[in-house]
Amino acid sequence: VDPINHLNLDVPLANKTYPELQPLLENMNYHNKIRKEFSANVSHELKTPLTSISGYAEIMANNLQGDNTQGFSQKIVDESKQLLRIIEDIIKLSKLDEGNVQLDFETINYQEVIQNVLRNLEDYAAKAKVSLIDETLPVKGLAVRQIIYEIIYNLIQNAIKYNYENGHVWISVRDYPRYIEIIVKDDGIGIHDKDKERVFERFYRSDKSHSKQIEGTGLGLAIVKHGVDFHNGTIEVFDYLNHGTKFVIKINK
Ligand code: ADP
């Protein structure tokens, strides 16, 4: 049973009798706050596309679309896809939250997992005219294969998505005595300093991605962060080559 899930979210937690419990309780308050914000955001993020869908559908149901049937149906298709993306991402996050994914730690070959991701993103990269450069070595470590796959998939997909035509994505994995280091870097549009701390928040998307109309949910990096935390690791984001982005993950051994 997850104790945080079973707390009354409206009662601020404090404990004067047992001061040693205070940091723990503050941590719980913090988690409660995040949970509340998340629920509020979920409703908003689901409502936005659904409002458009029902709006366009209603116009068409009343035959008021004039000669714009194609455009209106396309809007409904696009917004439905967005809704599905959000729901799929929320399911992934809540599975990690509840810990009920198949969480079997096993010895995995990171290079194999990464090459699998690269194969599955090959067509997407070709369409975006972005080159994927595999600099991995065969590195083995104890991890949950499905989560590592998800982490790397999201990072490489972003590196392609937030890139220019003829851009590049480099991926490497290296074995150090205390940790395994995974680096995904790109020479794409980059992340502003003010956004760097916030990109891991659920539903956070930088102005750049909104203004460039790049599709997304703002949940990809939250899933990544969650997966890294699950492996007792760290993730940091840096600038790369003045205009691109570099993500560095360290998974402790
Ligand atoms: P999404 O891509 O669905 O918007 P993410 O959580 O994966 O959501 O990413 C959050 C935000 O971080 C993105 O909206 C984008 O602004 C920024 N971002 C993530 N990866 C990159 C990258 N490789 N280069 C530039 N910006 C990025």
Side-chain angles (χ1 to χ4, degrees), residues 121-222:
L121 282 170
E122 218 169 57
D123 291 347
Y124 183 63
K127 250 192 214 147
K129 298 200 169 66
V130 170
S131 315
L132 303 177
I133 299 148
D134 177 3
E135 298 177 331
T136 56
L137 298 169
V139 171
K140 289 196 173 154
L142 210 55
V144 180
R145 184 187 301 274
Q146 191 194 337
I147 299 181
I148 298 295
Y149 178 93
E150 201 74 58
I151 291 171
I152 293 166
Y153 187 97
N154 285 348
L155 289 179
I156 298 182
Q157 187 184 39
N158 277 349
I160 299 169
K161 193 161 71 163
Y162 299 106
N163 215 321
Y164 303 107
E165 247 182 46
N166 302 318
H168 305 80
V169 179
W170 295 265
I171 168 102
S172 67
V173 55
R174 294 181 67 176
D175 199 1
Y176 290 95
R178 288 168 175 271
Y179 56 83
I180 287 166
E181 181 189 68
I182 304 165
I183 299 184
V184 177
K185 58 193 187 194
D186 64 70
D187 51 1
I189 68 171
I191 304 184
H192 279 308
D193 279 342
K194 72 171 173 56
D195 293 325
K196 283 205 185 81
E197 292 159 25
R198 303 205 55 197
V199 288
F200 297 105
E201 288 174 21
R202 297 173 177 197
F203 294 118
Y204 188 81
R205 306 197 71 208
S206 76
D207 297 341
K208 274 193 188 180
S209 35
H210 284 300
S211 57
K212 289 194 87 196
Q213 308 248 313
I214 299 171
E215 63 192 28
T217 61
L219 289 172
L221 286 179

Side-chain angles (χ1 to χ4, degrees), residues 232-250:
N232 190 20
T234 59
I235 180 162
E236 286 177 291
V237 54
F238 303 96
D239 292 327
Y240 185 62
L241 290 177
N242 293 322
H243 55 98
T245 310
K246 171 165 138 179
F247 285 93
V248 178
I249 293 177
K250 290 178 180 156

